[in-house]
Amino acid sequence: MTYHYEHADLEKLKSLIINGGQVAIGIDYLQSDSDYLSHFKNSKFEGPYYAMPLDGVLEIINEALSKTQI
């Protein structure tokens, strides 16, 4: 999922993972709680979504951030 985000977007995603809550990044509506990251498919934080466990997500984001230095 990180492949189409720019550096600033990856920072938003990292903050979401650490702090929880909801954020829109481009056309992606994302929500995080203590265990899962949810990606809503069609609308603003409603309807069907994909969820993935947060285990290992920060490592993936940090790796992507290291490749997109300003």
Side-chain angles (χ1 to χ4, degrees):
M1 187 169 169
T2 62
Y3 63 91
H4 66 275
Y5 289 148
E6 295 180 8
H7 189 86
D9 295 334
L10 288 169
E11 289 289 352
K12 286 182 190 177
L13 182 58
K14 182 177 179 178
S15 176
L16 174 67
I17 300 301
I18 293 170
N19 300 314
Q22 296 177 329
V23 68
I25 301 176
I27 61 170
D28 296 325
Y29 293 92
L30 305 167
Q31 177 177 311
S32 176
D33 61 22
S34 61
D35 296 318
Y36 289 92
L37 174 66
S38 301
H39 179 210
F40 291 84
K41 295 189 331 185
N42 297 322
S43 62
K44 299 177 181 177
F45 309 111
E46 297 178 351
Y49 61 88
Y50 300 104
M52 63 182 285
L54 290 178
D55 296 339
V57 172
L58 278 178
E59 289 83 7
I60 294 167
I61 294 170
N62 287 332
E63 182 179 334
L65 279 168
S66 71
K67 295 177 183 176
T68 62
Q69 292 298 320
I70 300 173

